[in-house]
Amino acid sequence: PSPRAYQPNGANEEALRCEIEELKQKDLALDQEIAELMSEGYSLEELEKHISLLHEYNDIKDAGQMLLGKLAVIRGVTTKQLYPEYDLELCD
């Protein structure tokens, strides 16, 4: 059980109110950011596509890092030592 489970009802409700308020503020900030990007000429569909592509890129990069890690273990080297062999930059 979480520590909240042991808090008095009033404290638990107050914590939830604070969390809800924080989420509302984040929602408002994101809405403002979206409005700003749209005013710069971006469409909502374009933004959603861009986010989708970023997720796909991160998934592919994670898979590549996992494979490099496994290969490094097999060879008994660090992943950093494999980067030059595959023409990768450390910032990749």
Side-chain angles (χ1 to χ4, degrees):
S2 70
R4 285 186 184 167
Y6 299 110
Q7 294 177 346
N9 249 358
N12 194 25
E13 288 178 19
E14 184 60 31
L16 288 175
R17 279 193 204 96
C18 287
E19 189 174 344
I20 289 169
E21 187 58 37
E22 287 174 12
L23 290 172
K24 285 180 180 179
Q25 293 300 320
K26 286 180 183 180
D27 185 50
L28 180 62
L30 289 172
D31 286 344
Q32 290 172 342
E33 190 174 341
I34 288 170
E36 183 180 321
L37 289 169
M38 291 177 76
S39 74
E40 293 174 8
Y42 295 99
S43 69
L44 194 54
E45 294 80 21
E46 186 178 8
L47 294 172
E48 288 173 357
K49 177 68 175 172
H50 184 72
I51 290 169
S52 175
L53 289 172
L54 284 172
H55 283 296
E56 184 177 349
Y57 167 80
N58 284 329
D59 289 344
I60 292 168
K61 185 176 177 181
D62 289 345
Q65 289 294 324
M66 184 183 68
L67 290 172
L68 276 176
K70 289 183 182 281
L71 184 58
V73 169
I74 290 169
R75 292 189 182 177
V77 297
T78 65
T79 54
K80 182 178 177 180
Q81 291 171 312
L82 293 176
Y83 274 58
E85 183 177 338
Y86 294 99
D87 295 322
L88 298 172
E89 299 291 326
L90 288 176
C91 61
D92 286 342

